[in-house]
Structure formats: structure tokens, C-alpha cells
Amino acid sequence: MKYMMLIHQGTTPTPQDPEAWGKLSKEEQGAVFAAYQQLNETPGVTTGHGLQSPETATTVRVQDGKTLTTDGPFVELKEALGGYFIFDGEDLDAAIAVAAKVPAASMGGGIEIRPIQEW
């Protein structure tokens, strides 16, 4: 079964936030990088990408045949989607075990697991 693993950063320090990232020791920063490297090498994981902050997003809607664009979405930091990857594993328990290894899961964020619908 394939799962989309959505990384909600929450209050997780990231290199994109130099102030928060700088509060981590060099050892903690190294551990975060090592954990992501290990995830990328996990069987069944297809690496995804980190996302820029929500302020850089554009939302598109079509209303009455007209394409409308707005900045955003406007979300609380704790709800912001920070990245994603795909996991192809045996079942939800296997996906949960992988999600638990994502640093954001233990540093103030959360990992949303969604089965991928195959047509």
C-alpha cells in the first residue's frame, strides 16, 4: 500500500528559520540531518521535497469561469505543511513506524499519513 506522508512542521526548528535552528546544538542539528538521511534510505520510501513557507504559496480557484488567485493559504504555523514523501509498505502500522522516525514528529510537529488512492 502506498501512503503520502505529509510533514506538518509545527514548532519544529528548521534550517529555513535560522533563529530557531540556531537554538539547537550542532549535535542536535546533525541528528536531524542524519534522521532524514536514514529515512531517505529506508526501503519503500520515495523521497519528497521540503516546501517553502506558506507565505510563498498561491491558491487558485475558478469561479464563474474566471481564474482567481490569492496569496496563501493563511495558516497557523503549527498547521503549515513543511514537506512530504511517499512510503510504499505493507500496511498502516508500517507507515506509522516510518512516520515516527521523522524528526518533526518528536520536535513539535506531526506527520499526516494518507493512503494513496490508485485508479
Side-chain angles (χ1 to χ4, degrees):
M1 181 90 178
K2 288 185 181 177
Y3 298 92
M4 172 71 84
M5 312 291 262
L6 302 165
I7 303 169
H8 296 274
Q9 288 304 123
T11 57
T12 304
T14 67
Q16 291 78 20
D17 180 356
E19 184 178 333
W21 186 249
K23 292 180 182 177
L24 296 178
S25 69
K26 293 294 181 198
E27 292 79 20
E28 290 169 319
Q29 292 174 3
V32 169
F33 284 125
Y36 278 110
Q37 181 63 36
Q38 186 178 19
L39 278 168
N40 290 339
E41 296 170 355
T42 298
V45 169
T46 300
T47 59
H49 297 279
L51 302 173
Q52 292 187 16
S53 65
E55 302 87 51
T56 65
T58 300
T59 299
V60 176
R61 290 183 175 82
V62 177
Q63 188 175 31
D64 297 325
K66 295 181 183 177
T67 301
L68 308 172
T69 61
T70 56
D71 294 338
F74 299 100
V75 296
E76 296 277 336
L77 177 62
K78 64 183 175 183
E79 297 172 353
L81 184 61
Y84 67 93
F85 64 96
I86 304 294
F87 175 65
D88 189 353
E90 187 173 321
D91 55 22
L92 180 59
D93 289 336
I96 290 169
V98 169
K101 295 178 183 177
V102 177
S106 62
M107 297 178 73
I111 312 306
E112 180 181 345
I113 301 171
R114 285 203 199 173
I116 293 177
Q117 195 167 37
E118 302 203 35
W119 304 95

